[in-house]
Structure formats: C-alpha cells, structure tokens
Amino acid sequence: MKISLIIPCYNEEESLLPFYTELNSVSKDMEEYDFEMLFIDDGSKDKTLSILKDLAKNDNRVKYISFSKNFGKEAAMYAGFCNSTGDYTAVMDADMQDPPALLKEMVKLLESGEYDSVATRRQTRKGEPKIRSFFARAFYKVMGKISTLDMVDGARDFRLMKRDMVDAIVSMCENNRFSKGIFGWIGFKTYWLSYDNVERVAGQTKWSFKKLLKYSWDGIISFSSFPLKFATGCGILSFIASVPPFILAIIKLTQGQSFNGLYSDVLRWYTMLFVILFASGAILTSIGIVGQYISKIFNEVKGRPHYIVAQTNKEDVVKK
Ligand code: UDP
Ligand code: MG
C-alpha cells in the first residue's frame, strides 16, 4: 500500500526541515507502507524550492512541483490531488499544524474498512487571535444554515482519503475551489478525529484576514445560492409592504379626499410610499429571478459530476 502526502508550501523555508524530519520518523514507524511526499511549492519567494531540491536528492520519496507564481493553497492542493498516485492520500500543512504523528492512527481507522476518509478537526482554537476565531465560528454557522453542506467547526484540510475519493475530487474541476465544501459535496463516509490545536512550528500564517474573508465569500457563493435568493426575498417583502399604503390611499380616495384638498398631504404620502415600495419590489424580484438563472448557469459552468459512485459490482460503471 502506498500513502501519498500532499504538502502545499508557500514561503515555508523555516518549517520544511522540522516537518520533513518529523514525517520521516513517522514513516519509519510505518514500514509496511510506501510513501510519496508531494511538495507543492506555491510560488515561494524564499528558499523553499532549493530546500525541496536538496531533500529530493537524498530521498526519492520526495517529489516537488513548483508553481510559476503564487496560485493559492487551493490550487496547490488540486495539483497534489491530480498528481497523487497512492492508495491513500492526505493533505498536510508544512507547518506541523497537521501533526504527522496522527497519520498512523488515521491509516488504522481507514484500514478498519468502515470509512472512506478520516478527517481531522481541532477541538480548540487556542493560540489563535480571538477575532479570527469569532469570524471562523460565525462562518461555519452561517455556511451550515445556507448550504446543504455539513460544515464542521474547526475542520482542517488534513484528511486521509481512499483512491475513490481522490478521483472524485479530481473530477471536480471548478476554478473557484473551496476544498472543505468539495470534501462535503462528494459525500463518502468520513470519520472525524479531534485533536488539540497545535501552533505553527516556525514562520507566520500565510493567510491575512482579508484573504480569509475573500476565501469564505468564495466558499459561500460556490456552495450556496442564498445570496441570490436574498434579492428575491427583499423584493417580495417590499411588495408586501406596498399593500398597506395602497389600501390607505384607496380608503382616503373613497372618503372623497382629493389630491388638492384638505389633508391632501397624507394622501400624497401614501401614494408615494406605495409607488416606491411597489416599484422597488418589482425591480428586486426581477433581479432575484435573473439571479436564479445565473445560479443555474453557474452550476452548469462548474461542470461538476452528476453523481459519484462509491460501490458497485459492475466492472465498467459509467461515470458522468
Ligand atoms: N499555503 C500555500 N499557498 C498560499 C497560502 C498557504 O500553499 O497561498 C500553504 C502554507 O505553506 C501551509 C498551508 O498552506 O503549508 C497552510 O497555510 P498557513 O499555515 O499559513 O494557514 P493557517 O494554518 O494559518 O490557516
Ligand atoms: Mg498553519
């Protein structure tokens, strides 16, 4: 059996050696498995690539793929999935926040045969800035509500998967990638393993608050059409709100009030309110309807598979 490890690296010169040393000692403990270490250099500007080249010289399990520029962790992970050849594949951060020591237990859980993947989540967010934790928690809550995905708070990208699952991920060829959503979308049976948060071994986080905000927004629009439905919702509310001023204006008119007579200001005010609410209701609802079509187009453009087969007794089952 072969285990492929995908390690996205962006300016990780300080953490690579401690990480490799740890991984190497873990692999010595698991001699019955072959390892493939796929380091994806995501356009690092420091010595990451030369360190990887040195490692590869002395260890033929080390493979590196170096990008022409920084394409982001999602692109790095996808490159890893497309190139992994193992029976089991895992994504791991290079900073030891995904402890290599957990691999042994994860493999054991997969071998038990009941699960297709073993995913990890941190129980605590110790050591993380409070405001970042707050937004992360809020994001998982909102995402759980507005999409059909089963979002797990504190979920990491660190998970060990069987071949079928990796093939399914590769078949999701969308450009705007949000792996946590993709893992959830493709299904399969997942075991969740909890561990205490580990702080980065060296260097700094590569995710600024702005980058995280953009990433979570990408996640929302890739896996939920709620923001589009929001416009329709506002439009309908505006329509409903236009009914009372309409009725009140009619009442005033039937009472014989004219637009020029005494108290005409009230009548004018009701009429204006009705026109504004009705017109904006019409506009917002139309935008919402257009949005619904765009969401359908968006889904088609993503070209996701129609279904993913987990088990079959047929040999050449058609995959579409
Ligand atoms: N990373 C990457 N490209 C990027 C940003 C990050 O390949 O544009 C890698 C980084 O080298 C690390 C992993 O993704 O191995 C997770 O990044 P980081 O530890 O900075 O994120 P955090 O753990 O703080 O969320
Ligand atoms: Mg990290």
Side-chain angles (χ1 to χ4, degrees):
M1 288 296 236
K2 185 171 171 188
I3 302 175
S4 293
L5 300 171
I6 299 168
I7 307 122
C9 311
Y10 178 48
N11 296 339
E12 296 287 5
E13 60 181 7
E14 288 164 284
S15 8
L16 268 180
L17 282 179
F19 173 77
Y20 173 78
T21 315
E22 170 83 4
L23 195 59
N24 199 23
S25 75
V26 168
S27 72
K28 280 194 185 122
D29 250 14
M30 303 168 72
E31 267 175 341
E32 61 275 36
Y33 298 95
D34 286 333
F35 276 85
E36 172 184 59
M37 304 170 187
L38 274 173
F39 288 89
I40 318 291
D41 167 33
D42 183 14
S44 301
K45 292 183 186 76
D46 62 358
K47 295 199 197 75
T48 300
L49 183 59
S50 63
I51 295 174
L52 288 177
K53 283 180 177 165
D54 282 346
L55 289 176
K57 258 185 227 152
N58 304 316
D59 185 344
N60 59 11
R61 298 170 303 175
V62 174
K63 302 275 178 293
Y64 60 83
I65 297 174
S66 179
F67 288 175
S68 57
K69 66 161 199 133
N70 179 242
F71 282 93
K73 188 187 175 188
E74 284 292 338
M77 287 195 284
Y78 191 54
F81 283 122
C82 292
N83 288 284
S84 88
T85 56
D87 302 286
Y88 301 145
T89 299
V91 182
M92 294 180 96
D93 286 4
D95 58 3
M96 301 238 267
Q97 283 195 295
D98 299 328
L102 280 180
L103 271 176
K104 213 171 163 184
E105 193 181 347
M106 291 164 84
V107 172
K108 228 188 231 154
L109 282 161
L110 267 200
E111 304 256 275
S112 74
E114 235 182 289
Y115 299 97
D116 301 296
S117 86
V118 178
T120 59
R121 59 177 300 202
R122 18 179 206 180
Q123 265 163 334
T124 53
R125 288 179 174 275
K126 213 174 58 199
E128 195 185 57
K130 287 244 159 53
I131 175 142
R132 197 162 147 171
S133 301
F134 170 79
F135 276 102
R137 288 222 174 82
F139 169 71
Y140 284 109
K141 263 206 196 111
V142 169
M143 195 68 181
K145 287 232 163 69
I146 64 173
S147 74
T148 52
L149 296 175
D150 179 23
M151 294 298 284
V152 176
D153 180 23
R156 308 263 322 158
D157 289 329
F158 181 32
R159 53 166 85 204
L160 188 70
M161 290 165 270
K162 288 190 179 160
R163 191 72 240 166
D164 286 351
M165 206 162 156
V166 175
D167 290 340
I169 292 167
V170 171
S171 72
M172 303 270 286
C173 52
E174 57 211 72
N175 253 308
N176 264 303
R177 298 185 75 79
F178 179 67
S179 282
K180 290 192 178 88
I182 292 176
F183 296 152
W185 193 88
I186 57 173
F188 292 99
K189 284 202 196 81
T190 300
Y191 181 89
W192 284 95
L193 194 68
S194 300
Y195 68 95
D196 281 334
N197 190 31
V198 186
E199 286 191 44
R200 172 180 254 290
V201 64
Q204 296 249 318
T205 174
K206 308 295 178 293
W207 293 86
S208 63
F209 192 71
K210 203 173 132 201
K211 224 168 151 185
L212 274 178
L213 213 60
K214 185 185 169 297
Y215 185 57
S216 39
W217 180 244
D218 277 354
I220 289 175
I221 54 173
S222 292
F223 284 92
S224 162
S225 49
F226 177 80
L228 286 171
K229 287 181 187 142
F230 185 74
T232 322
C234 291
I236 291 170
L237 278 183
S238 189
F239 262 135
I240 295 172
S242 77
V243 175
F246 177 72
I247 294 174
L248 289 169
I250 296 289
I251 291 173
K252 292 274 175 229
L253 281 170
T254 51
Q255 281 170 351
Q257 220 180 79
S258 80
F259 283 96
N260 300 318
L262 199 59
Y263 307 121
S264 63
D265 276 357
V266 179
L267 181 60
R268 279 199 209 124
W269 191 75
Y270 284 150
T271 323
M272 202 173 67
L273 201 61
F274 162 69
V275 171
I276 291 174
L277 286 172
F278 189 83
S280 47
I283 294 168
L284 278 171
T285 318
S286 322
I287 291 178
I289 292 169
V290 173
Q292 295 295 313
Y293 282 98
I294 292 179
S295 110
K296 294 275 177 271
I297 297 170
F298 185 43
N299 270 328
E300 295 292 338
V301 169
K302 276 186 279 197
R304 286 184 183 164
H306 293 218
Y307 55 85
I308 290 162
V309 180
Q311 290 177 30
T312 171
N313 66 350
K314 195 174 174 305
E315 262 169 38
D316 304 312
V317 75
V318 180
K319 289 177 183 166
K320 282 278 176 196

